[in-house]
Amino acid sequence: MRLLSDSIGRKVVMAITGLLMVLFVVGHLLGNLSIFAGPNGINAYAEKLHGLPQVVWATRVVMLTAVALHIVLSIRLTLENRAAKPTAYAVDRRLRVTFAGKNMIWTGLLLGGFIAFHLLHFTVRSVPGLDIVQGLDGHGRFDVFSMVVAAFGHVVTAVVYVVAMAALFLHLSHGIQSTFQSLGLNNAKTMPGFLKFGSVLSVIFLLGYGSIPVAIFFGLIAK
Amino acid sequence: MILDGKAPTGKIQDSWDDHRFASLKLVNPANKRKYKVLVVGTGLAGASAAATLAELGYQVEAFCYQDSPRRAHSIAAQGGINAAKAYPNDGDSIYRLFYDTIKGGDFRAREADVWRLAQVSNNIIDQCVAQGVPFARDYAGYLDNRSFGGAQVSRTFYARGQTGQQLLLGAYSALSRQIGLGTVKMFPRTEMLDLVVVDGEAKAITVRDLVTGEVRTHVGDAVVLATGGYVNVFYLSTNAMGCSVTAIWKAHKKGAYLANPCYTQIHPTCIPQAGDYQSKLTLMSESLRNDGRIWVPKKKEDCGKAPGDIPEADRDYYLERKYPSYGNLAPRDIASRAAKEQCDEGRGVGPGGRGVYLDFSASIERLGEGTIRERYGNLFEMYERITDENAYKRPMRIYPAPHYSMGGLWVDYNLQSNIPGLFVLGEANFSVHGANRLGASALMQGLADGYFVIPYTIANYLAQTKPGKVTADDPECRKSIADVQAERKQLLGINGKKTVSEFMREVGVLMWNNVGMARSQQSLTDTLQKLPGIREEFWQNVKVSGSGDELNQQLENAGRTADFIEFAELLCRDALHREESCGGHFRVEHQYPDGEAMRDDANFTYSAAWQWKGTGQTPELHKEPLKFDNVHLAVRSYK
Amino acid sequence: MSATEHGTMNLKLIVWRQSGPDKPGRFETYDAKNITPHHSFLEMLDVVNEDLIKAGKDPIAFDHDCREGICGACSAVVNGVPHGGQERTTLCQLHMRKFKDGDAIYLEPWRARAFPILRDLIVDRTALDRLVQAAGFVSCHTGGVADGNAILIGKPEADYAMDAAECIGCGACVAACPNGAAMLFAGAKVAQLAELPQGQVEAPQRVAAMVKAMSDNDFGNCTNHYECEGACPKGVKVKFIARLNREFTKALFQETLGTISTNRGTSKE
Ligand SMILES: Cc1cc2nc3c(=O)[nH]c(=O)nc-3n(C[C@H](O)[C@H](O)[C@H](O)COP(=O)(O)OP(=O)(O)OC[C@H]3O[C@@H](n4cnc5c(N)ncnc54)[C@H](O)[C@@H]3O)c2cc1C
Ligand code: HEM
Ligand code: HEM
Ligand code: SF4
Ligand code: F3S
Ligand code: FES
């Protein structure tokens, strides 16, 4: 039996890496929401975080591995699954399959693209053709707040983020409950609960993350 | 000729053990792999035999016409399987199971065979449990039993309403294990179309690959037929569409005697036929009779009315009236004939007036709908799926249907036919059920034959024969291939006007009306006169399109139908010759004034084994006298 | 009762026709005339086939045997749904009262790489048999086993095993699964045997072999679409897939720790 070559082994890895990313997204959301507290909120948060380089780098290494595994395995799984079902039915009627479930690879790849862009945007802070506001705030901290607010003032950037958040929502509306099934935690009793949990959490992500670019774009958060 | 069943003599309690020790030779372990056994049929009997023989070390090739051995018709058995475990402490014993089976069979079976069946019944349950068959359990974790088929003890083991399915899946899993190990070669979608007999011994079979159409022989050292029953000769029955007489009929034409073909069982509780297009009948478990009351309108004019509009006073609860002590639980043959009688008198209900009501309203009133739903919910659901009627609100309609064949190829105590090397198991043989089979005992027989009898008895034959005696280029094999191919070619070449199913329907209706639940000299001679005409017309006017080199279901059905038409003649002949009523065979000339079956023990205490003499020729009758040393012949009474 | 109770209906069938395994296939349209609401779906096909035969054409080939919902032979996709989509109902038990006069019905074979088409609506499902051959059994001998009551099994466990054992091996789950996965079929078998004491002894070896066999036999991987559960005519639940995953993870974990080996024939470390 092997983790990375048996069908279910790979699914377990997908689930665990997915779960790690979900945990990251939860933490990141909590952090990001401090933007509603104004510059003092988020800038202080960012400062504190960067004061713990071991934690930051450890997280980065783990997450990078997770993302890499998740991507490689998901592409392989998807290709195998397509090969196992070469012909579609003439009538496409589905009983349980959801739009989200069917398009995991696309929402996933979109997220992958987004993450790459997002890292260049807010972490590396260098995207060709994009002005990124970088400065220090009144306390001499790096001014994350201004950077973000300036960024989402642009309609294109705001839309890119909102679209990405929609993809995240779709990906996780299937993905979260799916994790429990993949890890074998489901039974007749727990399953409805996990399904609901997945839906609620993904909606929270959609609203939580989505509210930031939207609120900024419509001027609810401004300098 | 007087046939000898070679049953052991001596104390019946020890007969099987003595026989195994004293009379049956063994094949030494190192030699077993040199022998090849061909097992045709992978139902309960065939799958259990193939798995066990392979495990013992023989090379096995197994065949079935379905795409998987798991689909044999054993899968459809609902009720349960008997065993003399006596777990409920209610007085059961091997002796009682033996006695009930002999009596249930109306004293027309060999005592020693039935004893052995009762004896090994207990091993079957253990075997199935070990395989992971999910039998019903009680809350303490022990095996649960229920009573079934008129028995006075609870000896029936069951797995929900799917006992046959679960037992077959157990046997199938054992078979699959051997296939995986390479000891059994499985040939699904392969139909046996001939038996090859070389120097008087069965050594090969000729088959058609149902996908490619290839006709070829498989050679072995012994042949085991476990190909199921033949009641599809009535066209509509509870059997699967593919169940046929073909395998045993072809063996019969190669010299194997066919015994007691007229013993057919009609099951009283089936969903009635809805129209002419209907292709099969569905069994409703007999257990429904525990809580349902059977009635028909007293007046013919009421038959068209909604049942609810017929007042209590105008209903005839005829079973309760005629059999006050057993009432609605009268045995299968009695209940079936009584229903037919009512309908013949024009008081049947539903389409074509072929149905009687099975009414739950009294039980629902007494026990509540919830209890009835708990007991029979899945059956009510099935009934509604088929008829679109809600049986909680409106009585069910039921009618008898052909269900099981007690007759089959004649075999001796070793399950060997009169052709050395040809063994026959399960419903395909005639062995243990006499003239009538009790509920829950066919499953028992199939598994007894396959797991616990054939492994011993086949060794005795193999030990006395040299392995690999016959090869595929034997002239008999080549002739057999040529014959089978010629028959296929002929069928394809007729290009007549009537379809295969039209012929099968015609034969079926004729047989059901004249040779079904009740038979008379008149109806039998009439039928015997008509059948040759149908046979001849078939070979001149059947339409089978397509080719033989491809998957061609018409061609498959055509071959089966041709065999049924020929076989039907033998069935009638047997019924005509048996001038008595016994078990499933009811001759209207032989009944007591109250309509009960009248056996003639003085003249008919024998099994009738028929020898093929050629198409259109009168077959020759051989008798195997039956001796009863351990039970005394009694008249059945269910009043 | 339906409005069409006494009337008959005419339907249009759009059926996949393919003369052999590697032959090209196409849809053909046929009329099904004078069908009553009491016809079962297969009896309706019988009627169409009789017409085709009389017209000198090849009848539509389809698998069937018991016609009472238990053998698992019947198999066709009706308007995109295996077995036609009536809950807990096989195609042979689907009745024409579920259709209306004038309906157009698409009929296709099970489609999955593991199930090559043999002819028209008939596919080769022996891949499912091979899964069972790989490990879907308890390796007991014939004879010499313990008394049935020597192994106590609680009623809930027996019922759970029976729920899983309801599977009729029809393959609708594979046909319905967007990935052509056989997880519901395999899950049901693994769960049934893992739940019972008799089957627990070999549970790790069984799950390892069956998972491998699924890949070896061209089945896809499960991505938890649950479509299989929707299509299953026997109500087999995806909780059994979770059980399969759990058994797999457990075995993998134990093997990694070295407490068991899933290779048959290896002794314990
Ligand atoms: C609806 C129904 C309910 C029943 N309920 C009960 C019950 O509750 N209890 C009970 O004890 N009995 C019951 N019976 C009876 C019992 O199920 C059967 O008698 C028994 O299962 C027969 O088993 P078998 O192995 O002899 O044959 P089958 O299971 O019929 O198997 C026949 C095998 O032979 C193969 N075959 C046939 N012809 C050929 C050929 N020409 N070439 C190749 N292969 C061939 C088939 O493919 C199949 O594998 C019931 C029967 C029916 C129909
Ligand atoms: C980076 C690019 C990504 C790609 C290409 C991708 C692709 C996929 C695919 C195809 C699946 C379905 C496969 C399956 O269920 O087995 C999947 C599942 C999943 N993904 Fe992603 N994904 C990506 C990113 C993410 C992110 C960012 C998250 C979380 C925030 C995530 C969380 C999950 C989860 C939880 C599952 C469910 C796992 C399971 O079924 O057990 N994925 N992913
Ligand atoms: C509106 C939504 C989002 C906003 C406003 C946002 C904002 C930010 C900011 C400001 C940073 C830089 C933090 C710093 O370097 O101090 C960051 C980093 C990051 N974000 Fe986001 N983010 C959003 C959504 C997401 C999503 C959905 C994901 C993942 C799927 C994501 C993944 C990351 C990652 C991986 C980093 C890098 C962390 C590191 O430095 O290691 N972000 N984000
Ligand atoms: S799990 Fe259901 S759909 Fe799948 S093979 Fe079994 S019965 Fe058919
Ligand atoms: S539909 Fe397919 S994806 Fe899994 S849950 Fe069922 S096998
Ligand atoms: S024909 Fe047997 S399940 Fe449909």
Side-chain angles (χ1 to χ4, degrees):
Chain A
M1 292 175 92
R2 290 226 297 280
L3 193 60
L4 289 175
S5 58
D6 281 336
S7 161
I8 300 180
R10 286 184 270 142
K11 279 288 304 180
V12 169
V13 177
M14 284 292 291
I16 292 174
T17 54
L19 206 61
L20 282 174
M21 289 191 275
V22 171
L23 289 179
F24 174 85
V25 170
V26 171
H28 194 48
L29 176 63
L30 292 176
N32 284 349
L33 286 179
S34 62
I35 200 164
F36 285 101
N40 267 334
I42 191 156
N43 290 359
Y45 163 74
E47 163 119 282
K48 204 172 262 165
L49 204 64
H50 286 285
L52 306 162
Q54 296 95 327
V55 176
V56 172
W57 278 104
T59 315
R60 283 180 179 171
V61 169
V62 171
M63 292 313 298
L64 213 65
T65 324
V67 174
L69 274 173
H70 194 83
I71 294 179
V72 170
L73 290 183
S74 72
I75 292 175
R76 215 180 125 193
L77 277 169
T78 307
L79 290 177
E80 280 181 13
N81 289 349
R82 300 223 159 142
K85 192 83 173 183
T87 328
Y89 294 113
V91 182
D92 186 25
R93 215 188 105 213
R94 296 295 182 188
L95 303 166
R96 305 276 165 92
V97 174
T98 57
F99 176 81
K102 223 162 88 179
N103 292 293
M104 285 301 272
I105 188 66
W106 302 121
T107 50
L109 288 175
L110 210 89
L111 279 173
F114 164 76
I115 291 171
F117 165 75
H118 182 56
L119 288 176
L120 291 178
H121 192 192
F122 286 160
T123 308
V124 181
R125 295 168 200 144
S126 146
V127 182
L130 207 66
D131 258 347
I132 300 171
V133 176
Q134 308 187 39
L136 301 180
D137 66 3
H139 299 273
R141 299 174 298 208
F142 181 76
D143 193 353
V144 180
F145 182 81
S146 303
M147 172 177 75
V148 174
V149 171
F152 294 155
H154 292 286
V155 63
V156 180
T157 319
V159 167
V160 165
Y161 270 74
V162 169
V163 168
M165 293 315 109
L168 181 73
F169 161 72
L170 285 173
H171 201 74
L172 294 187
S173 69
H174 177 83
I176 293 172
Q177 57 80 26
S178 177
T179 311
F180 297 106
Q181 174 79 353
S182 297
L183 295 177
L185 302 171
N186 268 341
N187 58 39
K189 215 158 143 196
T190 55
M191 192 154 178
F194 287 140
L195 281 169
K196 199 168 285 161
F197 176 71
S199 313
V200 169
L201 198 58
S202 48
V203 168
I204 291 177
F205 288 143
L206 179 67
L207 296 180
Y209 279 116
S211 64
I212 298 172
V214 170
I216 292 175
F217 184 76
F218 289 106
L220 298 176
I221 303 176
K223 282 205 155 180
Chain B
M1 190 173 92
I2 301 293
L3 275 171
D4 181 5
K6 303 201 189 90
T9 47
K11 263 179 72 184
I12 198 151
Q13 287 84 339
D14 305 326
S15 53
W16 175 230
D17 299 329
D18 286 350
H19 183 72
R20 274 192 294 178
F21 178 69
S23 314
L24 294 181
K25 296 195 168 48
L26 300 172
V27 177
N28 113 26
N31 279 339
K32 286 203 179 89
R33 66 189 145 77
K34 297 185 188 147
Y35 291 98
K36 186 190 278 178
V37 182
L38 308 175
V39 179
V40 189
T42 52
L44 284 179
S48 56
T52 306
L53 293 172
E55 190 181 45
L56 285 171
Y58 300 106
Q59 302 172 49
V60 175
E61 290 185 355
F63 306 82
C64 70
Y65 70 76
Q66 293 95 342
D67 65 332
S68 162
R70 68 178 292 148
R71 306 200 205 287
H73 196 53
S74 294
I75 201 106
Q78 304 170 348
I81 177 166
N82 285 335
K85 284 278 194 188
Y87 285 153
N89 198 27
D90 56 359
D92 201 6
S93 63
I94 292 174
Y95 191 91
R96 192 177 292 280
L97 176 53
F98 158 74
Y99 178 79
D100 286 352
T101 308
I102 290 275
K103 178 184 171 212
D106 229 357
F107 305 94
R108 290 293 176 265
R110 214 184 275 145
E111 273 191 340
D113 296 51
V114 178
W115 180 273
R116 175 177 62 194
L117 174 69
Q119 185 181 340
V120 302
S121 67
N122 293 339
N123 305 31
I124 295 173
I125 302 304
D126 302 338
Q127 188 63 38
C128 296
V129 168
Q131 289 166 345
V133 169
F135 281 123
R137 299 269 172 167
D138 63 20
Y139 278 98
Y142 292 95
L143 287 157
D144 200 12
N145 287 116
R146 62 180 171 206
S147 60
F148 201 76
Q152 288 162 303
V153 290
S154 282
R155 62 159 74 102
T156 304
F157 295 78
Y158 64 101
R160 232 166 251 172
Q162 287 120 282
T163 317
Q165 178 196 29
Q166 294 311 317
L167 298 178
L168 181 61
L169 293 182
Y172 161 77
S173 72
L175 174 64
S176 296
R177 175 167 158 251
Q178 297 301 328
I179 297 171
L181 293 170
T183 53
V184 175
K185 262 178 99 178
M186 183 68 220
F187 296 88
R189 291 200 202 269
T190 304
E191 186 170 28
M192 168 189 162
L193 294 173
D194 199 15
L195 176 74
V196 183
V197 180
V198 183
D199 299 330
E201 294 184 80
K203 289 295 173 194
I205 58 170
T206 300
V207 300
R208 180 169 176 272
D209 180 321
L210 299 181
V211 177
T212 64
E214 186 199 357
V215 173
R216 58 172 192 265
T217 47
H218 287 255
V219 181
D221 297 293
V223 177
V224 175
L225 296 188
T227 51
Y230 55 70
V231 284
N232 269 348
V233 68
F234 297 107
Y235 184 58
L236 289 183
S237 85
T238 62
N239 281 13
M241 303 297 287
C243 292
S244 79
V245 76
T246 290
I248 64 170
W249 187 248
K250 297 298 192 194
H252 175 63
K253 288 173 93 168
K254 282 299 175 76
Y257 300 166
L258 221 162
N260 302 337
C262 77
Y263 292 160
T264 50
Q265 181 171 75
I266 313 295
H267 199 291
T269 50
C270 300
I271 301 177
Q273 190 179 353
D276 291 336
Y277 53 80
Q278 191 145 339
S279 55
K280 84 150 268 166
L281 296 169
T282 303
L283 178 81
M284 299 294 285
S285 169
E286 223 170 357
S287 59
L288 288 171
R289 289 202 277 149
N290 288 323
D291 284 308
R293 295 180 71 197
I294 296 175
W295 62 274
V296 290
K298 279 186 180 159
K299 292 183 270 181
K300 287 182 193 170
E301 312 84 78
D302 285 353
C303 290
K305 281 191 193 161
D309 296 344
I310 304 173
E312 200 58 33
D314 290 338
R315 302 175 176 191
D316 180 8
Y317 295 88
Y318 57 89
L319 282 177
E320 297 171 21
R321 172 168 58 80
K322 290 167 80 170
Y323 307 96
S325 68
Y326 271 74
N328 295 301
L329 290 172
R332 288 181 181 178
D333 50 339
I334 290 175
S336 295
R337 273 198 305 279
K340 173 177 155 55
E341 225 169 75
Q342 301 304 321
C343 298
D344 286 349
E345 287 168 13
R347 300 189 291 138
V349 296
R354 294 274 136 198
V356 300
Y357 287 124
L358 179 61
D359 197 336
F360 291 87
S361 53
S363 313
I364 289 176
E365 214 163 278
R366 185 163 40 92
L367 304 164
E369 192 174 310
T371 308
I372 295 298
R373 192 180 294 276
E374 212 170 90
R375 286 191 191 161
Y376 311 110
N378 57 340
L379 294 168
F380 278 50
E381 222 176 87
M382 178 163 93
Y383 182 78
E384 179 159 10
R385 221 177 278 137
I386 294 175
T387 62
D388 204 22
E389 287 174 16
N390 178 347
Y392 296 104
K393 300 268 172 295
R394 183 192 169 101
M396 275 185 190
R397 290 173 294 109
I398 54 163
Y399 198 67
H403 179 57
Y404 184 84
S405 47
M406 281 74 70
L409 289 182
W410 182 87
V411 289
D412 63 16
Y413 184 69
N414 287 340
L415 300 182
Q416 183 168 240
S417 73
N418 58 306
I419 302 176
L422 177 65
F423 294 80
V424 192
L425 319 181
E427 196 174 339
N429 74 24
F430 88 120
S431 64
V432 290
H433 304 298
N436 179 46
R437 173 182 71 85
L438 290 181
S441 59
L443 302 180
M444 171 173 68
Q445 182 216 344
L447 291 179
D449 289 359
Y451 285 133
F452 299 115
V453 180
I454 191 75
Y456 293 97
T457 59
I458 204 169
N460 186 55
Y461 168 77
L462 292 173
Q464 302 175 57
T465 182
K466 229 174 76 220
K469 256 197 202 163
V470 174
T471 56
D473 51 13
D474 191 282
E476 285 299 327
C477 294
R478 278 194 256 152
K479 178 171 178 304
S480 171
I481 292 186
D483 289 348
V484 169
Q485 276 169 339
E487 193 178 272
R488 300 308 102 185
K489 218 170 138 198
Q490 197 184 347
L491 287 167
L492 288 161
I494 298 166
N495 200 16
K497 296 240 158 7
K498 262 164 83 170
T499 62
V500 176
S501 34
E502 282 170 332
F503 277 106
M504 198 57 235
R505 246 173 254 255
E506 187 179 341
V507 177
V509 169
L510 182 68
M511 291 296 287
W512 179 234
N513 289 339
N514 292 341
V515 197
M517 273 181 277
R519 298 141 180 195
S520 67
Q521 183 171 27
Q522 186 65 46
S523 73
L524 290 166
T525 25
D526 274 2
T527 313
L528 269 174
Q529 251 153 29
K530 285 188 188 133
L531 283 170
I534 300 180
R535 167 163 44 80
E536 276 152 32
E537 194 201 342
F538 178 87
W539 287 103
Q540 277 155 22
N541 196 26
V542 73
K543 185 175 180 69
V544 184
S545 56
S547 86
D549 312 325
E550 57 182 354
L551 198 159
N552 185 340
Q553 294 175 313
Q554 273 187 85
L555 183 61
E556 296 165 28
N557 289 335
R560 292 169 196 160
T561 300
D563 294 334
F564 271 130
I565 299 176
E566 287 183 354
F567 167 73
E569 285 185 52
L570 184 69
L571 199 164
C572 292
R573 212 172 285 283
D574 187 43
L576 184 61
H577 116 282
R578 191 165 280 278
E579 290 279 357
E580 65 163 348
S581 294
C582 62
H585 170 62
F586 188 77
R587 283 286 299 269
V588 296
E589 300 91 344
H590 303 285
Q591 51 178 315
Y592 292 101
D594 59 0
E596 293 305 320
M598 189 193 279
R599 273 200 335 256
D600 178 355
D601 290 335
N603 293 306
F604 287 96
T605 311
Y606 64 78
S607 298
W610 299 88
Q611 183 182 4
W612 171 255
K613 288 286 169 185
T615 311
Q617 306 294 311
T618 314
E620 187 180 341
L621 172 64
H622 303 284
K623 295 179 182 174
E624 185 203 335
L626 296 168
K627 288 218 317 276
F628 294 94
D629 300 324
N630 299 280
V631 298
H632 69 273
L633 279 72
V635 176
R636 290 197 313 169
S637 170
Y638 291 94
K639 287 249 157 180
Chain C
M1 268 178 234
S2 55
T4 44
E5 175 61 17
H6 297 292
T8 59
M9 40 186 167
N10 298 321
L11 306 144
K12 197 173 279 312
L13 298 189
I14 302 120
V15 187
W16 183 259
R17 302 304 306 263
Q18 181 172 336
S19 63
D22 297 310
K23 305 277 169 53
R26 74 214 167 276
F27 283 102
E28 297 269 350
T29 305
Y30 305 102
D31 291 319
K33 291 190 212 112
N34 298 323
I35 304 300
T36 79
H38 292 309
H39 276 80
S40 72
F41 199 90
L42 300 188
E43 284 164 352
M44 181 275 292
L45 284 182
D46 290 342
V47 171
V48 173
N49 273 346
E50 287 286 295
D51 287 348
L52 285 175
I53 295 169
K54 292 218 158 127
K57 296 191 193 133
D58 278 338
I60 302 160
F62 59 93
D63 255 329
H64 67 107
D65 202 22
C66 73
R67 295 207 176 185
E68 58 178 88
I70 192 74
C71 74
C74 59
S75 45
V77 174
V78 180
N79 290 333
V81 182
H83 290 300
Q86 186 184 343
E87 224 176 286
R88 291 184 67 101
T89 306
T90 53
L91 189 64
C92 57
Q93 294 272 282
L94 182 68
H95 279 69
M96 296 312 291
R97 60 183 76 95
K98 300 283 164 195
F99 296 86
K100 291 191 307 291
D101 189 31
D103 277 357
I105 303 174
Y106 277 84
L107 265 183
E108 294 176 76
W110 284 175
R111 291 196 192 275
R113 187 156 68 124
F115 291 168
I117 296 176
L118 296 178
R119 189 182 181 110
D120 298 345
L121 304 176
I122 298 182
V123 300
D124 178 354
R125 283 173 289 197
T126 47
L128 292 180
D129 290 311
R130 289 193 291 275
L131 295 187
V132 178
Q133 286 154 20
F137 46 75
V138 174
S139 303
C140 63
H141 298 276
T142 302
V145 298
D147 183 88
N149 265 346
I151 307 167
L152 295 185
I153 301 167
K155 188 167 159 45
E157 287 74 24
D159 284 346
Y160 175 95
M162 185 61 221
D163 284 344
E166 296 245 1
C167 167
I168 57 175
C170 62
C173 45
V174 180
C177 175
N179 309 336
M183 288 287 277
L184 195 61
F185 174 86
K189 192 51 35 197
V190 164
Q192 177 201 342
L193 296 178
E195 184 72 7
L196 299 171
Q198 307 92 298
Q200 271 158 19
V201 180
E202 292 176 277
Q205 291 83 359
R206 181 179 306 114
V207 73
M210 279 190 95
V211 168
K212 180 169 181 306
M214 282 196 277
S215 301
D216 292 349
N217 284 286
D218 290 341
F219 291 107
N221 311 287
C222 180
T223 51
N224 306 330
H225 287 303
Y226 314 138
E227 187 75 3
C228 48
E229 179 179 289
C232 175
K234 291 291 141 182
V236 175
K237 298 278 176 257
V238 291
K239 71 176 180 190
F240 298 122
I241 297 183
R243 177 68 179 265
L244 168 60
N245 294 338
R246 187 153 76 238
E247 292 293 327
F248 178 90
T249 313
K250 199 164 84 188
L252 181 67
F253 195 67
Q254 290 174 321
E255 188 167 53
T256 312
L257 291 180
T259 55
I260 60 155
S261 166
T262 57
N263 283 334
R264 285 175 194 276
T266 328
S267 59
K268 196 170 161 157
E269 294 297 319

